[in-house]
Structures are given as structure tokens and as C-alpha cells.
DNA sequence: GGTTGAATTGAACGGTCGTTCAGTGACAAT
DNA sequence: ATTGTCACTGAACGACCGTTCAATTCAACC
């Protein structure tokens, strides 16, 4: 059910998808869905909450690389692009359907998002302190870099002009430069 | 009518707003709306089309500054942030409601968007040719910079910690750095 | 073979949806 | 005073919405 809802919500939007459509996608009657979800709102929340929890858990599972903040920023950028590229539908929903959450559900998701952003902010702070990164404002740089990285999802399609790895390299380069990394250089190839 | 629809679509989403709500917002019955729009879909398209046309027209109206591509890139970044900050609702709709457009309407909007992106791409190309900008890939840099700049709208609120001008300065700095501008430096203040 | 229990159906509930249209009423021109 | 114009109402249309629930199905156990 969650897979079907994810796919349909991502394609048509939460408000435009009916419980009957979700049911039909999995070959069942609408009433049967209510054995597995309290209502439509909970279904949306579960998808978004699951996505954000998975994001934070996956980040916590990565082994932070040895080295300076530049290395850790690169690590974050690569992690972000890879994780998001692998879950295009969930990412899309998580960014587009926030307004369809009830107030308390929204607060939960918003908190998870803030926690993720704080991870990047911490790296920038450390870089600033170490002197290897130069950002004019930690908070703005955090928002700007995440917007830039997440933007990959809006246009990237597997099998296009550039491979996933190449796109990753190019974005890492731009992220490092934007953060004023002391040893930033354009990737060749 | 367009103002009311803009406000409600931005707040609740196209699919979640009924013609009756729009009508009630302007103190009229739902049927009266059909004197001014063929249907709900046309109303959405008119809003998005008007926004994109205004964007391209406003850009065409700016006087491109004398100087190198770095100066022109800065000019573009400042224009983009200012134009979008002044029209938060329309920008939000233009990015969120694309999937609610019919196929032919979508193609029209998509073409306008491509034309706007081409303006930035041209500046990056010139900078690359002049040797004052260093971007690993013109197309990717275009998407990355626009995503970064448009991202301002997701969090910026007048009266917050930073003024509009200050935010503009900071983003310009990050854009120039990300584009490998030869003379990029962190703004002070 | 009979009984239980869970999974699922299919119809129904009260609403809301986008859209249409005959009718109303105000106002300008004759 | 009559006519014509135009904006608008208010009711109606058929369709679909999220959700509930008595009835049914069906496999597993005694």
C-alpha cells in the first residue's frame, strides 16, 4: 500500500489522489485500506516520516571520514545526492506535500528536517573554525547548499548526458567552491 | 479573481482549492467566475503563464551592466532574488503546480522556463570564454545556481534576522564562488 | 465437518467537486 | 416607459470524495 501511495502521490499530488485509486493500484477495494491506515492523512504522514527517519538513520550510519571539514563537506554532499537520487518519489513528496499535513504532523516533519540541516551546519561551522571553509553566514549557506543539492532531483534522469557519478563530482565541486573551500578545484574529465 | 486564486492556490494547492472558495474570497457566487475564465485549469495556466511572461519581460527590461561576465552574473543573481522575493506566491505556484497543467499548457510553461534558464547559461558561457568564470558544466551549473537562488523563497521572510539586501549580498557571494569567479571574496558586514 | 477469526467486499453515508444555465436585477440607451 | 445589455445568482447536474460497516469469503484449526 505504501508503495502504491508513494508512486501516486508523487505523480499526481496528495490532494488529487483518491483512496479508491490507491486501492485499485494494488488490486483491492477502498475499504480494505483502512485495515492498514487510520486515514488518508496518516498515510501521507507515514510516508514522509519514514523518509525523514530513513534519511537521518542513513546519515548516522555513514562513517565520517578522517580529515578536515572540507573532506566532511564533500562526504555530506555525496551522501545527500546519492540518498536523494535513490528515492526521487519520496523526496518529491517530502518537499511538496508539507502543506497537506495536519499541524502536529507538520511539526514532527519540520523537526526532522531541522535536525538534518543541523548536520550540514555543524560541518560548515567546523570548517569556519578550522579556517578551511569561508561562508558568509552559516544558516544561509546551509539552506543554499541543500537547495542546490536537492535541486539535482528536479532534472536528473538516469541514462542522460551525464552519469550519476559525474553529476555527483560536478556538484561536489560547486558545493566546495560555494563554501569557499581552500583547496577547491574544477574536476577534469 | 486572479489575486484571490493566486493567494489560495499558493496556500492550499491547486487541487485543494475549490471554485466556490475562490468565489467566496472575492464575495461572489461560483458561477460568476465562469464569466472570466473558461475553467479552473485555464485559471491556473493564466497565473503561471503571466508569471513567466512577466519574469522574462522584466529581465529583458533590465539594462545589462558594462563589464565582464562576473558583473553580469552578479546582475542576474540580484535580479533573480529581487524578482522572486517580490512574488512569493506566484513563484511557489509556478514550481509546485506544474503537474496540474494539461500537457499542452505544461509545454508552454516549460518552454518559458527554458528560455529563462538560457539567459543564465549564456552568461556562464561568456564567462567561461572570457576566462573569468570556471564552471565544470554549463548546464549543471545553470540548474544548480537557479535552484540555490530560488531556494531563498522557501525560508526568507521580511523582518527576520537578515535584511533583504544582506541576504542578496550573501547569495551573490556564494553564486560567484560556485561559478569559480576569479575575483570572488566574502562580503564583510 | 463444523467453528472460529481475520481479510476483504460492496454498498451506502453525507459531502463537496467543477460546471451549466434559466432567471433576476440594476443600469444605460432610446 | 420601454427596451436591451450585462453581471450575477442560486439551484441543479452527475460525478467523485473519505470513511464506515454489515455481510461475505476463505483458510486454519478442532
Amino acid at each position: 500500500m505504501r508503495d502504491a501511495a508513494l508512486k501516486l502521490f508523487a505523480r499526481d499530488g496528495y490532494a488529487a489522489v483518491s483512496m479508491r485509486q490507491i486501492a485499485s493500484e494494488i488490486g483491492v477495494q477502498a475499504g480494505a485500506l483502512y485495515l492498514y491506515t487510520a486515514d488518508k492523512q496518516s498515510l501521507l504522514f507515514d510516508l514522509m516520516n519514514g523518509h525523514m527517519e530513513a534519511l537521518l538513520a542513513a546519515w548516522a550510519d555513514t562513517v565520517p571520514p578522517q580529515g578536515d571539514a572540507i573532506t566532511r563537506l564533500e562526504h555530506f554532499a555525496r551522501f545527500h545526492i546519492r540518498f536523494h537520487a535513490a528515492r526521487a518519489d519520496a523526496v518529491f513528496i517530502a518537499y511538496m506535500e508539507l502543506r497537506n499535513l495536519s499541524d502536529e504532523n507538520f511539526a514532527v516533519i519540520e523537526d526532522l528536517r531541522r535536525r538534518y540541516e543541523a548536520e550540514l551546519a555543524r560541518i560548515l561551522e567546523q570548517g569556519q573554525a578550522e579556517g578551511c571553509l569561508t561562508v558568509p553566514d552559516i544558516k544561509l549557506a546551509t539552506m543554499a547548499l541543500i537547495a542546490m543539492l536537492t535541486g539535482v532531483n528536479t532534472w536528473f534522469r538516469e541514462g542522460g548526458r551525464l552519469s550519476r557519478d559525474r553529476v555527483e563530482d560536478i556538484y561536489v565541486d560547486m558545493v566546495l567552491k560555494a563554501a569557499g573551500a581552500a583547496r577547491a578545484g574544477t574536476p577534469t574529465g
Side-chain angles (χ1 to χ4, degrees), chain A residues 110-146:
Chain A
E110 198 59 11
D111 182 59
L112 292 171
R113 184 191 306 276
R114 258 197 297 270
R115 275 163 54 189
Y116 181 66
E117 288 167 1
E119 297 292 322
L120 172 56
R122 199 155 52 88
I123 293 173
L124 297 179
E125 272 163 23
Q126 291 169 350
Q128 192 89 281
E130 293 173 14
C132 60
L133 295 180
T134 310
V135 294
D137 184 279
I138 299 284
K139 173 73 177 154
L140 263 66
T142 302
M143 304 305 288
L145 295 183
I146 285 189

Side-chain angles (χ1 to χ4, degrees), chain A residues 18-87:
Chain A
S18 71
M19 294 300 270
R20 284 172 180 82
Q21 283 172 54
I22 298 171
S24 139
E25 178 79 16
I26 55 184
V28 110
Q29 290 291 328
L33 298 181
Y34 289 84
L35 298 201
Y36 306 99
T37 187
D39 49 26
K40 197 186 176 191
Q41 162 79 201
S42 304
L43 188 47
L44 175 62
F45 174 72
D46 286 350
L47 291 176
M48 295 177 64
N49 192 53
H51 171 70
M52 294 304 297
E53 298 273 20
L55 173 63
L56 284 167
W59 172 248
D61 269 5
T62 64
V63 290
Q66 305 282 344
D68 57 12
I70 295 181
T71 311
R72 287 201 297 284
L73 176 56
E74 172 170 348
H75 172 238
F76 179 91
R78 291 191 186 278
F79 165 82
H80 186 99
I81 291 181
R82 279 187 208 155
F83 186 91
H84 286 67
R87 292 161 176 80

Side-chain angles (χ1 to χ4, degrees), chain A residues 82-112:
Chain A
R82 279 187 208 155
F83 186 91
H84 286 67
R87 292 161 176 80
D89 282 352
V91 171
F92 197 66
I93 291 173
Y95 277 78
M96 301 278 277
E97 305 292 359
L98 282 168
R99 63 175 156 207
N100 288 309
L101 291 173
S102 67
D103 287 349
E104 59 256 51
N105 283 346
F106 177 81
V108 172
I109 300 297
E110 198 59 11
D111 182 59
L112 292 171

